Amino acid sequence: MFLSFIIPIYNCETYVASCLDGIISAGLATDEFEVVLIDDGSTDGSARICKEYERQHSNIRYIFQKNQGPATARNKGLEIAKGDYVWFVDADDSIEPKIVSVLKNLIVADPLIDMVSFSYISQYPDHKEQHEQVASSYVCSGLEYLYQQKDGSYLWNHIYKRTSIGETRFLDGVSHIEDTCFNVQTMMRFARVAVVPDVGYYYNRCNLQSISQNRQLRDRVKANADSFLVYQTLQKEMECAALEQRKYLEKELNFSINAHLYTIMRFDNVRTLKRYVNDYQRMGLYPLKPTGNAKSDLFLWLSNRKSLMFLIMRVGISVKNKRKKYKV
């Protein structure tokens, strides 16, 4: 079997039929692909829709589990998947059917490919944005790809050779940036990564209920905890990594932790910012080093000056609260 689509489902009744229709219309024979639907405790009509597709198609399998997050759902899908390659698709997104023949032909010509990366389109309520990976196709190592990539932290704009994934799994229970951790851990080992300019995926930026769009307080607490766990995991990965891999991990951690502190400063409070600065300092990951990215390094100058950063955040929160008071 060529390809397994692994799709976590959580309250996606509005989108899941369109997602499945795109996959079914991709032109593969029934015995060339399968769809593994892992329902992560949906409470809407998603189950009914998925069961109907399972009834109509012998290569679609529906499994229900208690709500444990998308990472655990994808791990369940990996246990079940039989395809030579796997594609992690989100139920509120859709694939470009034409990409499947491109991927198949590419892999038939070079069966040693560990992963294929392709372009995608972000769909907003009022417009679309195309994100091109490259102007022309090329093959490189996984480590080279990580250094070069623009959107390598996403799962859905790649297909992965199942045997190349090996025993690597997503961090159970993690709902935020679990894709970053998985991609870094797997891609660093890949010998052959093919990058193509073709559009293969439509990323839905209209679903305000999705995890990536949610900034409620409870979700922010979870997002911070998940981010910290991912960075702890990548730091442990450095202990057994080869020299070049370790250099990349240091770069990735430095850049990502700077971004994490920036996000906390925007959406949380001073207490939370202090907590994570101190945690990263205990891990030996703070103060941060220059990233080589102009925008990132501009904030890094501030993030390495704790007292000033805390003061600016306090002032910002005070100004924001006064504005809210006057509006009322």
Side-chain angles (χ1 to χ4, degrees), residues 205 212-213 215 217 220 224 257-270 272-273 299 302 309-310 312-314 316-318 320-321 324:
R205 303 300 297 267
S212 61
Q213 306 288 334
R215 291 197 180 111
L217 176 59
R220 285 294 311 138
N224 286 328
I257 290 171
N258 193 41
H260 186 206
L261 297 181
Y262 175 76
T263 304
I264 293 172
M265 198 170 177
R266 284 190 65 195
F267 299 112
D268 298 318
N269 53 53
V270 176
T272 300
L273 184 61
F299 177 72
L302 175 63
M309 180 169 61
F310 299 152
I312 290 174
M313 189 174 184
R314 284 195 188 94
I317 291 172
S318 176
K320 189 185 297 183
N321 289 338
K324 285 181 181 178

Side-chain angles (χ1 to χ4, degrees), residues 35-170:
V35 182
V36 181
L37 302 170
I38 309 295
D39 189 337
D40 192 38
S42 294
T43 56
D44 64 354
S46 297
R48 174 184 53 79
I49 296 169
C50 292
K51 287 177 181 177
E52 180 59 24
Y53 274 85
E54 182 185 42
R55 186 186 66 79
Q56 295 178 11
H57 302 274
S58 60
N59 56 343
I60 294 180
R61 185 172 178 184
Y62 170 79
I63 295 159
F64 183 88
Q65 67 177 26
K66 291 181 181 179
N67 182 249
Q68 300 172 68
T72 304
R74 293 188 188 104
N75 285 340
K76 186 71 174 178
L78 276 173
E79 291 175 15
I80 296 166
K82 299 175 183 175
D84 294 331
Y85 287 80
V86 296
W87 189 347
F88 299 104
V89 174
D90 288 349
D92 55 349
D93 298 336
S94 56
I95 73 162
E96 168 51 60
K98 294 178 182 177
I99 193 67
V100 175
S101 61
V102 174
L103 299 174
K104 184 180 176 183
N105 292 338
L106 188 65
I107 288 163
V108 167
D110 187 352
L112 296 179
I113 287 176
D114 299 297
M115 186 185 83
V116 185
S117 176
F118 39 85
S119 301
Y120 67 95
I121 291 175
S122 292
Q123 295 181 311
Y124 294 87
D126 57 351
H127 71 285
K128 298 179 181 181
E129 290 181 8
Q130 184 163 328
H131 306 266
E132 287 187 348
Q133 289 289 78
V134 288
S136 58
S137 301
Y138 69 91
V139 175
C140 62
S141 72
L143 200 56
E144 288 171 330
Y145 175 76
L146 285 168
Y147 274 113
Q148 298 166 8
Q149 56 84 22
K150 297 177 182 178
D151 299 303
S153 63
Y154 294 128
L155 292 169
W156 32 253
N157 64 321
H158 309 89
I159 66 168
Y160 307 77
K161 193 171 189 176
R162 188 162 55 89
T163 55
S164 298
I165 291 173
E167 298 302 315
T168 303
R169 293 295 181 268
F170 296 91

Side-chain angles (χ1 to χ4, degrees), residues 174 220-230 232 260 275-276:
V174 172
R220 285 294 311 138
V221 172
K222 172 67 171 160
N224 286 328
D226 284 352
S227 296
F228 186 69
L229 179 58
V230 166
Q232 280 184 313
H260 186 206
R275 174 194 164 183
Y276 282 101

